[in-house]
Amino acid sequence: MTTETSPSDPGDPADPFDPAGGAAARAALLAGPGPGGRPRRRALARLTDDWLAGLLAAAGAPPGVALVAVGGYGRGELSPRSDLDVLLLHDGPVARELPERIWYPVWDAGAKLDHAVRTVAQARTVAAGDLKAQLGLLDARHLAGDRALTDALRSAVLTDWRASAPARLPELRELVRERAERHGELSFLLEPDLKEARGGLRDVVVLDAIAATWLADAPRDGLDTAARRLADVRDALHLATGRATDRLSLQDQEQVAERLGVLDADTLLRRVYEAARTIAYAGDVTWRAVDRVLAARGGRGRRVRRPGIPFAGSGRGTGAVARGAVERRPLAEGVVEQDGEAVLAQGARPAADPVLPLRAAAAAAQNGLTVSYATVRRLAAECRPLPVPWPDEAREQLVTLLGAGESAVPVWEAMEAEGLVRRLLPDWERVRCRPQRNAVHRWTVDRHLVETAVRAAAMTRRVARPDLLLVAALLHDIGKGWPGDHSEAGEVIVRDLAPRMGFGPEDTETLAVLVRHHLTLVDTATRRDPDDPATVEAITKVVTTLPELELLHALTEADALATGPAAWSGWRASLVDGLVARAADRLAGAGAAPAEAAPTAEQERLAVEAARTGQPALSLRARSEGASPGAEPMGVELNLAVPDRPGLLGTAAGVLALHRLAVRSAGLRELDPVGAGPVLLLSWRVAAEYGELPEAARLRADLRRALDGSLDVARRLAERDAAAPRRRGVPTPPPLVAVAPAVASESATVLEVRAHDAPGLLHRIGRALDGAGVRVRTAHVSTLGAEAVDSFYLTDEAGSPLTARRAGEVAAAVRAALG
């Protein structure tokens, strides 16, 4: 940002200088061709220093008296309308007339003065009882008189501050929180308070005070630049308004932008927002560091090492892990939890793992953590950009991150602060910190997109493709950085971006439709006659299947809720719901399940082997498709053929859970390859939660032991969970277990399960179905990010669909198993 150098009115009656020359010098400084910004603020402070020193001398101050600048003035910079915070320090009684000889000329000059007369002991007493006064004294600076007094004050105040920091920092944090609640977040306000709002100049003072404790320090990269930018804007605001104001009102923004040489008011706000985010993020990082230090000093730090637990990077992926005396619990491959943050495991290789930033972010958000500052910095510095198209895992991890809801926001902010978001989504730069000059909107464009994804995360049970919902939520306004209709521009961007993210043509088309028409439901429902057949036709021309209609409905609601309270009301919701219901009636039957692919030659071979031997036959193959070049395989494809028997699905899924293999997709079908009876064929795509993939021989042996009953899978899983209970994680919508309408299948009852993915989820479902005494004829299992979307085709023992009553009982049993 350029600095402001426009002339001001030298005859302004609010000049804080005496008429004998101070006002003229100040006017010349403000109107001259020299630089503005920090150099001018320091020059103004020097002029004021000289003036006040002259007043002290003229007042005939005796020895043992000092004039001290505190607060903002103590930091050696003055904005054109800044208050003067001054302390008259003395070591004994002083004549009552002495302070008056100093203060009255200041008041006569029209300056705002905050003053006090105290001894060093009195100043320390006041500071001990008034945190704000103590913060002001931390910036004490000698102006005139007895320098030894000022030095004694500074030394005593700093000593007191450091000694009392463990007790006073929580009090300071509460003040910061209360101030943020009163004034809001600077980076999202159309009329922000540059000083008091969260991310404003007051927070910079707080960060300096924390640094003075020697307990923690803020990340300094960009912090000074951000503080200077806000101070420059405040200077221009003071000159534009002629007042000592810190609120950047709408009517003043164009004039302030002109004084600063900025293109327009929107550009000004974007630069203010960027600075505020830098300061706010530095505050978040610093307060987390303070929390860790205070917890350690209070004996609450996690310093217990569990016996028999391997270190991070051992590759075994079992239990909690530790390094030295600090507990480290694995979260994902290359990512562990330490001191309440997600950090890199010892064996992590950022330079060889371009998916690691998204994996770390997703693991942190799903566990209600944030990624540590050092980790984000290292990821930004060492990780290579993702290949194009993205590996499957990268897309899945992005969806997992977005699906964490509120917990995704601080993680996203940390990634954005270090440039990782722009590296993933180059189009993000155009919407980053972009203001929305509409009273309905609460957020900047980029934060609105994140908030829409947060709202959408609570709606994942309503749709068959939660991954498409979450990505559409994140991108629906991406076109606002371009001229013209943002929905049309967004569609163009998404048609280019979705294939780069690894989405196929059909999913790309769905995302493009959702982005192009994310306003269509609300606009149609509120502006058209709901009883006119053409109204419904307008919707069914846009979305042609029930799954697409579900997605558009959820996106519409999430978008409105993330906009602000005025954008979504009961009346609007009822109009949209009614329109969706009419459109759904017209589209009924359009969302039938896709035809199942024929078995491969390998699957047929396994089925024949299982039928002839009466024993399970399996094959495992490392799966590298969708992985980045040179990376380790993403997981394995496992095909298992077993002569039909009860409980097969739950047993096999339990063995995979024991080996910490996450099921990304699975299918189950019946074959009769030799006419000797049905064989169940299970086709899995699995990946390791963390650590190395299991050896094929060990996995095969455990599967056979589980099937013959010598391995009690349920007991082993329960023992493991009891020994190392998992973090509770983030709140998620409750599981949805429902019986599909009879039209979904003529030969079976279709049970649909939508739930948050968790280790052993498919095992619990399979055991519940087995306990209910039904046969699973076919199953389609998908894990989309952190959400499981499963369909089970069930029959009774005779091979017939279940009765309505029986189907309800089975659904209730599965619901109880998911708890």
Side-chain angles (χ1 to χ4, degrees):
M1 179 181 291
T2 58
T3 53
E4 177 275 324
T5 58
S6 299
S8 64
D9 180 6
D12 192 319
D15 259 324
F17 292 90
D18 63 343
R26 174 181 181 274
L29 176 63
L30 296 177
R38 176 170 287 175
R40 183 177 60 196
R41 289 190 293 275
R42 288 177 173 171
L44 284 172
R46 286 194 298 271
L47 281 173
T48 307
D49 292 352
D50 294 342
W51 176 45
L52 293 178
L55 291 176
L56 182 67
V65 172
L67 200 58
V68 182
V70 297
Y73 180 30
R75 290 187 288 276
E77 295 187 21
L78 279 178
S79 289
R81 305 293 170 189
S82 288
D83 296 352
L84 302 180
D85 298 325
V86 181
L87 171 64
L88 186 64
L89 200 62
H90 62 94
D91 61 3
V94 295
R96 190 178 69 178
E97 296 80 9
L98 178 63
E100 295 175 351
R101 292 171 185 165
I102 303 170
W103 309 149
Y104 276 102
V106 178
W107 289 326
D108 290 343
K112 292 184 178 179
L113 179 67
D114 187 356
H115 62 89
V117 180
R118 294 189 179 108
T119 64
V120 171
Q122 290 171 338
R124 294 177 70 184
T125 300
V126 170
D130 186 339
L131 180 56
K132 292 181 180 179
Q134 188 168 40
L135 294 179
L137 288 173
L138 290 175
D139 292 310
R141 181 172 60 88
H142 183 72
L143 295 177
D146 189 343
R147 181 176 293 273
L149 269 182
T150 305
D151 292 342
L153 175 68
R154 283 184 53 82
S155 177
V157 168
L158 282 170
T159 299
D160 293 344
W161 175 239
R162 287 163 185 157
S164 63
R168 306 223 74 173
L169 285 178
E171 182 184 354
L172 178 58
R173 184 167 194 168
E174 183 62 19
L175 286 178
V176 170
R177 185 193 63 78
E178 291 175 354
R179 177 164 46 80
E181 287 184 354
R182 286 196 308 272
H183 297 280
E185 294 198 48
L186 198 161
S187 55
F188 304 122
L189 297 171
L190 281 177
E191 293 187 311
D193 188 308
L194 300 169
K195 185 176 182 180
E196 302 293 344
R198 181 175 181 266
L201 292 168
R202 184 76 74 186
D203 281 341
V204 179
V205 177
V206 168
L207 293 177
D208 288 341
I210 295 173
T213 65
W214 292 348
L215 296 180
D217 194 9
R220 292 290 163 177
D221 285 353
L223 184 59
D224 186 61
T225 300
R228 285 205 313 269
R229 176 171 290 179
L230 293 187
D232 291 349
V233 174
R234 183 173 65 166
D235 288 358
L237 179 62
H238 284 188
L239 293 173
T241 63
R243 295 180 289 109
T245 179
D246 297 315
R247 184 168 298 281
L248 187 60
S249 300
L250 290 172
Q251 65 267 24
D252 300 321
Q253 289 173 10
E254 287 291 350
Q255 190 176 356
V256 170
E258 182 180 354
R259 283 181 173 271
L260 291 167
V262 173
L263 178 63
D264 55 26
D266 275 5
T267 305
L268 171 69
L269 277 184
R270 288 192 75 180
R271 295 186 177 188
V272 167
Y273 293 164
E274 289 170 353
R277 288 194 189 181
T278 298
I279 295 168
Y281 176 62
D284 291 341
V285 172
T286 305
W287 281 115
R288 288 200 300 271
V290 168
D291 287 344
R292 288 194 298 273
V293 171
L294 296 184
R297 289 193 168 201
R300 299 189 305 277
R302 287 186 279 187
R303 300 291 186 228
V304 178
R305 178 177 175 181
R306 299 177 185 174
I309 300 300
F311 290 91
S314 66
R316 301 312 306 163
T318 57
V321 292
R323 182 182 68 183
V326 180
E327 183 180 330
R328 291 164 66 87
R329 185 178 68 90
L331 299 174
E333 178 61 29
V335 187
V336 299
E337 176 189 353
Q338 177 180 312
D339 286 336
E341 295 180 320
V343 303
L344 295 185
Q346 289 176 307
R349 298 181 298 162
D353 189 355
V355 182
L356 187 55
L358 279 173
R359 192 185 310 123
Q366 285 291 329
N367 285 275
L369 308 171
T370 191
V371 186
S372 79
Y373 173 70
T375 294
V376 178
R377 296 271 293 177
R378 184 181 172 193
L379 291 172
E382 298 183 22
C383 282
R384 294 179 288 108
L386 285 169
V388 176
W390 288 10
D392 291 348
E393 187 198 1
R395 190 173 60 258
E396 292 167 358
Q397 295 294 352
L398 174 64
V399 172
T400 302
L401 167 62
L402 300 176
E406 289 285 353
S407 295
V409 176
V411 176
W412 189 271
E413 289 177 342
M415 294 175 64
E416 192 170 55
E418 298 301 331
L420 286 169
V421 171
R422 283 167 285 175
R423 187 185 300 179
L424 293 169
L425 307 171
D427 299 283
W428 194 261
E429 182 59 27
R430 283 184 171 265
V431 297
R432 184 173 183 270
C433 294
R434 181 173 292 276
Q436 304 201 75
R437 294 186 177 276
N438 184 326
V440 173
H441 276 279
R442 298 175 57 193
W443 311 104
T444 54
V445 176
D446 59 333
R447 181 59 180 269
H448 169 70
L449 294 176
V450 176
E451 290 290 334
T452 303
V454 168
R455 296 288 186 167
M459 303 176 185
T460 51
R461 303 293 177 270
R462 292 170 41 177
V463 299
R465 289 295 302 274
D467 56 333
L468 297 183
L469 172 62
L470 293 168
V471 172
L474 183 69
L475 300 177
H476 75 278
D477 276 348
I478 197 71
K480 284 191 173 179
W482 295 86
D485 186 316
H486 77 278
S487 298
E488 295 178 0
E491 178 187 4
V492 173
I493 293 171
V494 167
R495 289 190 183 279
D496 172 68
L497 179 58
R500 288 193 280 122
M501 297 172 72
F503 285 103
E506 186 175 342
D507 289 347
T508 295
E509 181 64 28
T510 299
L511 288 170
V513 168
L514 293 174
V515 171
R516 173 65 181 87
H517 294 286
H518 68 273
L519 298 175
T520 298
L521 279 180
V522 166
D523 289 347
T524 305
T526 56
R527 299 176 183 177
R528 301 277 293 274
D529 180 1
D531 297 321
D532 187 345
T535 302
V536 174
E537 185 178 0
I539 300 303
T540 56
K541 283 183 177 179
V542 170
V543 289
T544 57
T545 66
L546 279 173
E548 279 190 350
L549 182 62
E550 289 175 348
L551 286 167
L552 186 60
H553 188 193
L555 175 60
T556 299
E557 185 174 340
D559 180 21
L561 291 172
T563 297
W568 195 246
S569 63
W571 171 74
R572 283 197 169 199
S574 65
L575 291 178
V576 170
D577 289 348
L579 178 59
V580 168
R582 292 182 177 88
D585 288 341
R586 183 169 295 189
L587 294 174
E596 192 168 41
T600 65
E602 173 69 8
Q603 291 170 339
E604 288 184 339
R605 182 189 68 77
L606 293 173
V608 169
E609 180 183 344
R612 287 178 175 172
T613 64
Q615 297 296 320
L618 63 87
S619 67
L620 296 107
R621 180 171 64 87
R623 185 178 185 276
S624 299
E625 299 96 309
S628 54
E632 296 180 356
M634 286 182 58
V636 297
E637 289 184 352
L638 184 154
N639 288 302
L640 173 65
V642 183
D644 192 7
R645 50 165 292 169
L648 174 62
L649 177 63
T651 300
V655 172
L656 298 182
L658 271 180
H659 285 264
R660 297 194 182 277
L661 290 173
V663 178
R664 306 310 300 170
S665 65
L668 181 151
R669 68 171 77 179
E670 284 186 353
L671 297 176
D672 189 358
V674 295
V679 170
L680 293 184
L681 177 68
L682 292 93
S683 304
W684 313 79
R685 180 165 71 88
V686 298
E689 291 182 39
Y690 44 78
E692 299 172 352
L693 291 168
E695 296 176 356
R698 182 179 176 189
L699 183 59
R700 183 182 292 108
D702 282 350
L703 280 167
R704 289 177 174 170
R705 290 172 56 214
L707 291 171
D708 67 23
S710 60
L711 174 62
D712 189 337
V713 174
R715 182 178 61 82
R716 288 282 301 277
L717 285 173
E719 289 174 350
R720 189 186 68 183
D721 290 343
R726 289 180 168 267
R727 169 182 281 275
R728 185 174 181 82
V730 298
T732 59
L736 175 66
V737 181
V739 179
V743 295
S745 174
E746 295 180 356
S747 59
T749 297
V750 180
L751 185 71
E752 295 180 341
V753 179
R754 299 175 184 176
H756 190 74
D757 190 33
L761 175 69
L762 190 55
H763 169 67
R764 296 198 299 276
I765 296 173
R767 290 193 67 195
L769 294 176
D770 184 41
V774 296
R775 293 181 58 200
V776 182
R777 197 191 70 191
T778 307
H780 301 277
V781 175
S782 297
T783 304
L784 305 170
E787 300 299 318
V789 181
D790 305 338
S791 298
F792 302 91
Y793 287 68
L794 310 176
T795 67
D796 59 20
E797 290 298 328
S800 301
L802 307 180
T803 65
R805 178 179 178 180
R806 186 83 177 94
E809 292 172 349
V810 173
V814 173
R815 201 174 293 117
L818 299 182

